Amino acid sequence: MFLGEANYKYLTAMALLYMRLTLKAPDVYEVLEPFYVDNRKLKVRNSIGNYELTYIDQFVDNLLSQEVCLGLTLPFVPRRLALENQGLLNPRKNLIEE
């Protein structure tokens, strides 16, 4: 799978977007959250046609927190805390404490 490949950052971003669009809510968090530590640069075209610099971790944060990303309306995904309270997700591990 292309999610772990260091040489294909745009393919990784496209795969992350696809996962966000197609997976169920608990799986979305389990797949996308490991990329919070990925700091590779991406050039993204904004709504007025200019390019902006962003990073994979910011892109993932947008996928998890915004309603629209890259001009696509994303399906509703409940907040992580709500899924944890329902027992659908384990609490997130704090990497600082480890």
Side-chain angles (χ1 to χ4, degrees):
M1 187 174 235
F2 293 107
L3 289 177
E5 294 291 328
N7 296 327
Y8 301 106
K9 61 185 176 183
Y10 290 101
L11 194 54
T12 298
M14 188 173 72
L16 290 170
L17 177 62
Y18 177 78
M19 298 288 183
R20 172 61 177 84
L21 291 170
T22 59
L23 293 178
K24 294 180 181 177
D27 297 331
V28 167
Y29 286 100
E30 290 177 0
V31 171
L32 271 63
E33 282 182 342
F35 289 92
Y36 274 136
V37 296
D38 192 341
N39 59 359
R40 291 180 286 171
K41 295 179 184 178
L42 295 172
K43 288 182 187 175
V44 178
R45 194 174 203 177
N46 63 19
S47 60
I48 60 173
N50 296 330
Y51 288 94
E52 297 176 347
L53 182 65
T54 189
Y55 298 88
I56 298 266
D57 59 344
Q58 290 175 337
F59 183 69
V60 168
D61 187 55
N62 287 342
L63 288 174
L64 292 175
S65 64
Q66 303 294 320
E67 294 179 7
V68 177
C69 185
L70 301 178
L72 294 172
T73 301
L74 302 173
F76 175 74
V77 173
R79 298 280 179 215
R80 184 178 223 296
L81 186 58
L83 295 172
E84 287 177 11
N85 291 338
Q86 294 174 4
L88 298 173
L89 272 178
N90 293 327
R92 188 177 353 188
K93 295 178 184 175
N94 189 346
L95 296 177
I96 295 174
E97 292 176 358
E98 293 180 356

